[in-house]
Amino acid sequence: SVSAESLKPSADTYDNWSPPFHEKTPDQISRLKHAIEGNFLFSHLDDEQSNQILGALVEKPIPAKDIKVISQGDAGDYFYVVEKGSFDVHVNPTGTIGPGPEGMGSKVGTIEAGGSFGELALMYNAPRAATIVSAEGNCTLWALDRVTFRRILMESTFARRRMYESFLEEVPLLSSLTPYERSKIADALETQKFAPGAVIIKEGDPGYSFYLLEDGTADAYKGDTSNKVLQYKKGDFFGELALLNDAPRAASVVATTDVKVATLGKNAFQRLLGPVEGILRRTKYQGVKAGVEEMDPLSRD
Ligand code: 1OR
């Protein structure tokens, strides 16, 4: 189980630790930079942290298909970023790794180039939650040791995941997702703040983001501010229609208090909210203009 204690980096902040530095060729550096470019886990590091991570990563070629990189149940040693190729995720519900391919359990997903895996055991001091096997030949991984992962990535990037996980657990839209799926959303969220009266979304604009209301309240209007169509409270979502339908914003959303929203960009929305697309599409807006009582988008079907 996950205790608050196990989330703390083990050594204090004021010791003499410095991350390992593995010399790299210019070619390796440019491939590595490309591999982590689109990965949210690396987007919140400052320059010093980025350089430390780039220095600490070690290239790990995976020459053939079906090579087991992580075995479910093992202790965690490295976190991996995929530069080239793809890797299958297998989960054996009993957690016992038997002989032969059945022992790996069923395939639950695939991690492509630009993705990463192996963070859970390092974050939570837990056994590996899944088995990871190369899905093709000639793959390239970059490995980050446990201590550097905890000292740098957990201090920055994964602090955000922890902060958002408890909020996302309370969001009704996301309740059918697995904790792992919610953690991927947490990694991709960006916080934005708005003062009372500020326009968060303007009707007619193109849509680039999806919003979860993290704090405060907001109103949706169609036409002008006298035509209030919905009220939002903590845990509600908005901004999904333009992204689902590739259409202009269908309403304006205005903060009615100090507001904090967590936003997902369009790509992350499509990639991470696929499992709840049905719920998003079933959210009906017809006929709500009249009745302010019925305004929780999640309670309608
Ligand atoms: P780890 O350190 O536990 C295995 O080592 C890694 O597989 C794990 O970190 C994750 O990075 C990665 N459930 C658990 N771990 C997963 C999953 C997963 N997918 C990838 N990993 N699920 C698959 C969701 C599509 C949930 C299965 C019930």
Side-chain angles (χ1 to χ4, degrees), residues 1-13 15 120-126 146-156 158-159 162:
S1 83
V2 179
S3 73
E5 198 49 44
S6 74
L7 292 170
K8 281 199 200 129
S10 41
D12 30 271
T13 320
D15 60 12
L120 295 179
L122 305 188
M123 281 181 77
Y124 300 116
N125 281 324
R146 174 191 170 85
V147 176
T148 309
F149 174 90
R150 289 182 68 89
R151 295 296 292 260
I152 299 178
L153 278 189
M154 263 179 75
E155 289 278 280
S156 50
F158 287 98
R162 265 138 53 194

Side-chain angles (χ1 to χ4, degrees), residues 18-67:
S18 62
F21 181 77
H22 302 285
E23 206 64 64
K24 294 184 180 66
T25 64
D27 166 65
Q28 283 182 306
I29 293 173
S30 82
R31 284 189 287 116
L32 186 48
K33 283 193 168 155
H34 182 73
I36 65 177
E37 222 162 48
N39 193 314
F40 300 112
L41 300 182
F42 300 95
S43 60
H44 297 278
L45 302 175
D46 62 31
D47 287 348
E48 190 195 358
Q49 291 169 326
S50 280
N51 288 332
Q52 288 176 321
I53 297 283
L54 287 175
L57 283 160
V58 179
E59 182 166 6
K60 191 170 163 157
I62 306 290
K65 186 177 179 316
D66 288 333
I67 292 183

Side-chain angles (χ1 to χ4, degrees), residues 68 72 90-92 96-98 100-107 131 133:
K68 211 182 264 185
Q72 186 178 345
H90 291 260
V91 174
N92 180 330
T96 52
I97 311 295
E102 317 80 46
M104 298 199 306
S106 45
K107 180 177 156 183
T131 298
V133 189

Side-chain angles (χ1 to χ4, degrees), residues 70 89 91 108-109 111 116-122 127-130 132 178 180-181:
I70 285 181
V89 184
V91 174
V108 295
I111 300 159
S116 53
F117 59 84
E119 79 289 5
L120 295 179
L122 305 188
R128 293 295 197 186
I132 307 282
T178 65
Y180 184 72
E181 288 168 326

